[in-house]
Amino acid sequence: MEKSSILRFTFIFAIICFIFVRSVYPSSKSEFLASSPCFPRCTSKNRIHKFTDHRHTTPLHPLDPLTVQEINKVRAILSSYAPFASSFATIHSLSLDEPDKTQALAWSKGDPLPPRKAFAIVSLNAQSHMLTVDLNLGQVIHHTIHSGSGYPPLTMDDQSAALQVTLADADFQKSITERGVKLSDVTCVTLAAGWYGPDEENRRVIKVQCFSSEGTPNFYTRPIAGLTVTVDLDQKKIVKISNTGRGIPIAKRSDTDYRYTTQVKSPEMKPLKPISIEQPEGPSFVVEDGHMVKWANWVFHLKADQRAGMVISRAMVQDSESGELRSVMYKGFCSELFVPYMDPDEHWYFKTYLDGGEYGLGATSLSLVPLNDCPRHSYYMDGIFVAADGKPFVQPNVICLFESYSGDISWRHSNRQINGSEIREARPKVTLVARMTASVGNYDYIFDWEFQTDGLIRIKVGLSGILLLKGTPHENIHQGFDDDISGGPLVSENVIGVVHDHFITFHLDMDIDGVNNSFVEVNLEKQRTSKGQSPRKSYLKAKRHIAKTEKDAQIKLNLYHPSEFHVINPSSRSRLGNPAGYKLVPGATAASLLDHDDPPQIRGAFTNNQIWTTLYNRSEQWAGGLFAYQSKGDDTLAVWSERNRPIENKDVVLWYTIGFHHIPCQEDFPVMPTVSSSFDLKPVNFFQSNPILRAAPNFQEDLPVCHPTTSR
Ligand SMILES: *[C@@H]1O[C@H](CO)[C@@H](O)[C@H](O)[C@H]1NC(C)=O
Ligand SMILES: *[C@@H]1O[C@H](CO)[C@@H](O)[C@H](O)[C@H]1NC(C)=O
Ligand SMILES: *[C@@H]1O[C@H](CO)[C@@H](O)[C@H](O)[C@H]1NC(C)=O
Ligand SMILES: [Cu+2]
């Protein structure tokens, strides 16, 4: 067919199609298009699975989270448990007590599950009880009372009780109305108190600060400055009201609303045309049994966790030669998130959050927004969490899983041959992303675990949301505004963006080809040539150093002492004899500069180094301590590492912290554009050669022009 006839044919075809569309539309446009004979290969969907009815799910894998039925059973067991029978006990945490690693590793599909157990932290009469409940036996099998410092994560009830006593207090009400703010316009937030010495010890306290939400949902931009209420959480009583900010005006409300529906000005730029990636045959991953993800050469277990947010377990990659599944990581998750603000002011000094252990990264996650938080063809997973009364609740669509193609190249080479012909080989880079977000009050964290076919895992954290702002009388920097005493730059009239840090610490239980691994620092050391040896005077040499004990593996990054950081299995060797390994490749990051004797840094001591390697211990999961709230830092990663246990050829856990120094600016107002950073876990001598050598390129005929449809 010549060109003109193709065009004519297409035109006629389009008309037939149009008539057909018209006759069926609008009863069900999406269904029609998906099954239309005009576009037989188009199956674009905005979500690729049906909603799950959690009332009837049963666990199918040893690491599957507690189901709704199991949580109800634990609640029944605990409510008839003698020590809690007479008074009201509050559930602060209730999750799967994972089976021992040996049991989980020995299990394979079809085997009976190891005994299902739950671990609960329950508070009663100002004491924290730790209980293990055996679901098969139907009873509590272990019960201890926490004796160290710190308290369990806050519950929603804790926070609403603190707000209630504050809002009902006459002195508090007066301090609001004397500022000319109506009580009905006040929105308050509950801020973890940190730990600052004996004054606040031996009782659970929280700080309440307030904002004016008059005329804007973005109340964070309108702080009621210099007003802090300290509340005793167990007594449900106000301990102290500090009201020093009477003269500070409340910032304007105009231009603070970030909702699309309320924008009145025209867009800043020419709008973009609709965009999404086409997957004419649907995505390439599957989720089996609710939690097992299989994609390309990867298999892993994925779940939502009330404290950690998202947990990746038993990550295994297929060997490119033998096809066997090889272990890479037993478990990986965000263990703690430390956010110290840099202002010694009475109303600011305590803002030194441990968001994971104080609030919970899963507990603060809301449903993702399809097509915007996650692209078309995403698979959404729900979180099954537990309320303070022990009742299960479903947080829908908190994790999404999707294939990503940003137009990057996974490898290429072009070559001009001697005889003038060319070789041009390139492969598109497609990855699999598991994503979860946490909205810890004003801030949003976006956690991505991105899997590549070449064996690399990229762990990325994005920061967005609203700044925590400090009220000031200044409207601009010309009226004697002093950066040195303000806490940070002015980001809008009457509000300062206080300088702060974010440290996100990951627990990475690497199991390269098995549990017994070693941590190796490959140091690049400068050498001098001897006289007359070479025209060169200096060069670099890679020297391997195997860490013998935990202190050997406490690493501070330094551009002038560069190293690679490998986790290897000394008994798993390549055909050349190199040990199989993965290296941790840091990205842009920041270190904590606070003094080690500063109370927040004592609690955040897990950020004293960027990398640590510890001996595996199932009780050492939370870098800031299991009881992080008001802790004194007696159960941190830094304390465990000081034990200096031998770690060579042992089951080890790698820890890495991504850091950000954040000096706010006007663009961060009224909502911050996402800032992100990442690190990689990258195979080193794990594969015999490039594992994606035989990957296929894209061919034009595999990519028909698609007319995507919308569906849920
Ligand atoms: C040039 O050499 C390549 C092999 O290197 C061969 O495939 C190709 O046909 C040759 N081209 C010409 C024009 O001779
Ligand atoms: C790991 O090493 C320990 C000795 O440290 C040994 O007892 C154990 O059998 C090893 N495990 C495996 C799976 O090789
Ligand atoms: C395991 O961790 C707990 C909590 O840090 C600690 O009490 C215990 O001694 C550790 N066990 C070993 C063998 O290090
Ligand atoms: Cu920030």
Side-chain angles (χ1 to χ4, degrees), residues 663-683:
I663 305 172
C665 59
Q666 285 183 239
E667 287 84 351
D668 292 342
F669 186 94
V671 62
M672 285 177 284
T674 304
V675 174
S676 33
S677 186
S678 64
F679 66 97
D680 294 343
L681 298 170
K682 186 176 192 294

Side-chain angles (χ1 to χ4, degrees), residues 19-172:
I19 294 166
F20 192 37
V21 170
R22 279 292 296 272
S23 62
V24 180
Y25 193 79
S27 61
S28 171
K29 186 182 177 189
S30 52
E31 269 169 44
F32 162 69
L33 285 176
S35 58
S36 154
C38 303
F39 316 117
R41 299 192 65 189
C42 294
T43 56
S44 292
K45 284 181 179 173
N46 293 341
R47 64 179 285 147
I48 56 157
H49 67 115
K50 299 207 175 71
F51 295 89
T52 314
D53 181 356
H54 292 287
R55 286 170 304 176
H56 307 298
T57 48
T58 48
L60 298 168
H61 186 281
L63 302 175
D64 278 358
L66 293 178
T67 63
V68 164
Q69 282 180 352
E70 287 177 321
I71 294 166
N72 281 327
K73 188 166 177 190
V74 174
R75 185 162 166 268
I77 295 165
L78 289 180
S79 53
S80 61
Y81 181 58
F84 301 149
S86 55
S87 31
F88 182 74
T90 308
I91 311 277
H92 286 265
S93 158
L94 172 57
S95 56
L96 177 75
D97 187 38
E98 292 190 354
D100 276 333
K101 219 169 143 171
T102 43
Q103 276 180 303
L105 289 170
W107 183 87
S108 53
K109 195 170 167 165
D111 294 348
L113 291 182
R116 296 282 287 174
K117 294 178 195 166
F119 177 69
I121 303 178
V122 176
S123 74
L124 179 69
N125 305 327
Q127 280 183 317
S128 301
H129 297 253
M130 293 182 276
L131 299 118
T132 310
V133 177
D134 187 313
L135 280 149
N136 301 58
L137 299 175
Q139 64 189 50
V140 173
I141 55 165
H142 200 244
H143 180 176
T144 50
I145 295 176
H146 171 58
S147 57
S149 75
Y151 298 102
L154 293 168
T155 64
M156 292 304 285
D157 293 6
D158 281 332
Q159 298 177 70
S160 45
L163 295 176
Q164 265 171 31
V165 296
T166 301
L167 292 166
D169 183 83
D171 290 337
F172 169 79

Side-chain angles (χ1 to χ4, degrees), residues 328-395:
V328 173
M329 187 181 72
Y330 182 73
K331 191 175 178 185
F333 59 94
C334 174
S335 173
E336 194 49 276
L337 206 165
F338 176 40
V339 190
Y341 283 75
M342 303 296 164
D343 190 340
D345 179 289
E346 177 184 351
H347 302 281
W348 279 82
Y349 76 88
F350 61 88
K351 296 181 182 179
T352 51
Y353 304 106
L354 296 176
D355 283 336
E358 292 175 340
Y359 297 93
L361 303 178
T364 54
S365 68
L366 296 179
S367 304
L368 294 158
V369 185
L371 299 185
N372 293 287
D373 274 332
C374 315
R376 174 168 276 172
H377 296 286
S378 290
Y379 177 100
Y380 293 88
M381 196 181 278
D382 303 335
I384 310 296
F385 299 149
V386 184
D389 60 3
K391 286 189 185 150
F393 66 95
V394 176
Q395 199 73 284

Side-chain angles (χ1 to χ4, degrees), residues 417-423:
Q417 303 295 96
I418 303 227
N419 65 8
S421 73
E422 284 178 0
I423 298 179

Side-chain angles (χ1 to χ4, degrees), residues 575-589:
R575 73 173 195 282
L576 306 181
N578 288 316
Y582 258 68
K583 65 179 171 184
L584 187 155
V585 187
T589 193

